[in-house]
Structure formats: C-alpha cells, structure tokens
Amino acid sequence: MSDPRHDDKTTGPEGPEAPLHRRGIKSYVLRAGRMTQAQTRGLEEVWPRLGLTLADGRQDLDALFGRQAPRVLEIGFGMGASLVEQAERHPDTDFIGIEVHAPGVGKLLDEADKRDLTNLRVYREDALAVLEQCLPEASLDTLQLFFPDPWPKKKHHKRRIVQPAFVELVRTRLKPGGTLHMATDWQAYAEWMAEVMQAAPGFANTAGPETAPFVPRPDFRPLTKFEARGERLGHGVWDLIFRRVD
C-alpha cells in the first residue's frame, strides 16, 4: 500500500541528479508468504555459505569467488529458477542475485545447494544499496533486470526502479562494453525503459533497426513458466539490451 505522504504528480522519469534513496520510496514491497521446508532449509543451512549482506562492505569479487571470471548481477530474481538455470548452464561465469523476498531467496539457495553450484552468491537487500555500497566500479559484465514491478498507476511511477539515476549508477558498475539487459511484459513500462535508456549518456542500444528500441528475446535468457504462460495467452514481452560505451 502506498504512503499518501509521497503521492505526488510526478509521472515521468526522475532526472539523474535525483537521490536514489528517497525516504519512504521503494521500488518493491515486502509480501508475506509461507515458507516451505526446502525454503527454510535454504535460509538456515545454505545462507551462511552463499549469502551476502551490506555489512560485508565493498566486495573483491575475485576473492569472493576465488577466480577471475565474467560477472553477472540479477536484480529481483523472484523464486530463482531462471538464475539457477543460468548458473548451472554457465559454470565459467559468476552470478550474483538480489531479492528481498524470503521464500524466493530460500528456494534459490536450496536449489543451488542441491545442484552443487559454486558460482552463485545472493543478497537479500535493497538493490540500490548493494550497487552503491558493495559492488566496485567496472566490476560487472552484465546486469539483468527481468520483469520488475511495473507500478502501473501514474502516482506510483516514481517507485519504478528504472530511473535516470539508477541507470547512471548501473553504468558505473558495468565494465566498458558491459550490458544492461531488461525485460518486461508491460508495454507501457517497456516504453518507459526505452525512453530512459535512449536519454542516458554512455549507453548504446544493441537493437537492430528492424526491431529498435527492443531486441528479440535472446536464447541466453531462460524462458520462465510465467512468461511461457503469458505467451500462450498472447501476452507480449519486450527485451532491451544496452551496452556501456563510455
């Protein structure tokens, strides 16, 4: 539920100078949910090995994973099926996931342990705080933002995570040539993302002229059950991939 103290008439993306942490404004809401035995096991038994917190401070990713490798960060991995699949499919790449909802974090940790994945770490924190406080500049090859909350009501647009200030922060964390990959099943939010990215300095769209500003769903993005069901119902999905050029 929104806080009426923060309902205003702002409907467009905020400028890059806007503070990322505005008191009372979050890009997510915490939802209560029952924990299964497997999810509880993940949080209790696997978290000490794969979990990370803001208190850990700025990370040395080579030391964290014990090697040099491509690095992928996913914000809002939900129940984690897609991220676990990527980590298992690409053992030569290191993955970091951020999710605030306990059932999803517990599920991912349980699955990662069952599959003996060593190339995956997890934050249960605010994504903006992790980017600002924990990840070094130019440390990521890819940042993935798949199906974020679209906050469809105009009075809630300021809660959308995709804002110019967020995109600029992402740019600083990507390596030169690194990519920001976003996907949404809300056309209005897809158009919002495209507007923000097309105005963002230091990025170039990878879309070809026949599909710009969007790209066809790349094979390396796993098709989620939610997305597959939407496709059967005729729902659209829009992918955007922008590369850091400066």
Side-chain angles (χ1 to χ4, degrees), residues 146-163:
F146 298 154
F147 307 102
D149 193 324
W151 293 104
K153 293 183 179 179
K154 285 187 177 181
K155 66 179 181 180
H156 293 155
H157 284 184
K158 58 185 173 290
R159 295 179 179 268
R160 289 175 169 175
I161 190 172
V162 180
Q163 304 281 350

Side-chain angles (χ1 to χ4, degrees), residues 13-220:
E14 297 186 2
E17 72 284 354
L20 287 169
H21 291 288
R22 293 172 56 188
R23 182 175 178 82
I25 296 182
K26 294 286 189 182
S27 61
Y28 61 87
V29 289
L30 287 171
R31 300 178 178 87
R34 294 183 178 181
M35 297 283 293
T36 67
Q37 185 176 357
Q39 292 164 0
T40 299
R41 172 187 172 274
L43 288 175
E44 293 181 351
E45 299 181 18
V46 188
W47 174 267
R49 179 162 52 87
L50 301 183
L52 301 169
T53 70
L54 295 180
D56 296 326
R58 188 79 66 192
Q59 295 287 348
D60 178 335
L61 298 184
D62 288 350
L64 177 66
F65 288 99
R67 64 178 182 176
Q68 292 183 337
R71 304 272 155 69
V72 176
L73 174 72
E74 181 164 332
I75 294 176
F77 57 73
M79 297 306 290
S82 170
L83 187 54
V84 165
E85 180 180 340
Q86 291 177 75
E88 187 172 44
R89 187 189 301 174
H90 303 286
D92 294 332
T93 298
D94 295 329
F95 293 83
I96 300 172
I98 305 176
E99 177 58 63
V100 295
H101 301 288
V105 174
K107 175 66 173 175
L108 178 138
L109 290 170
D110 180 64
E111 284 295 324
D113 183 61
K114 289 177 178 176
R115 303 185 193 198
D116 295 322
L117 299 180
T118 60
N119 61 332
L120 179 60
R121 299 292 186 276
V122 182
Y123 281 97
R124 189 186 172 199
E125 306 277 4
D126 180 279
L128 298 178
V130 173
L131 286 170
E132 289 178 326
Q133 301 174 34
C134 302
L135 296 179
E137 293 189 3
S139 62
L140 301 174
D141 293 88
T142 302
L143 189 144
Q144 299 177 165
L145 180 67
F146 298 154
F147 307 102
D149 193 324
W151 293 104
K153 293 183 179 179
K154 285 187 177 181
K155 66 179 181 180
H156 293 155
H157 284 184
K158 58 185 173 290
R159 295 179 179 268
R160 289 175 169 175
I161 190 172
V162 180
Q163 304 281 350
F166 165 75
V167 170
E168 172 57 20
L169 177 59
V170 170
R171 187 190 67 82
T172 66
R173 270 43 184 178
L174 288 173
K175 298 175 182 177
T179 55
L180 169 57
H181 182 184
M182 299 181 288
T184 180
D185 58 340
W186 283 73
Q187 184 173 0
Y189 198 12
E191 293 168 352
W192 169 291
M193 291 173 171
E195 176 188 347
V196 171
M197 293 306 303
Q198 288 167 345
F203 281 98
N205 196 346
T206 66
E210 66 281 359
T211 62
F214 308 110
V215 299
R217 185 185 73 85
D219 292 339
F220 56 78

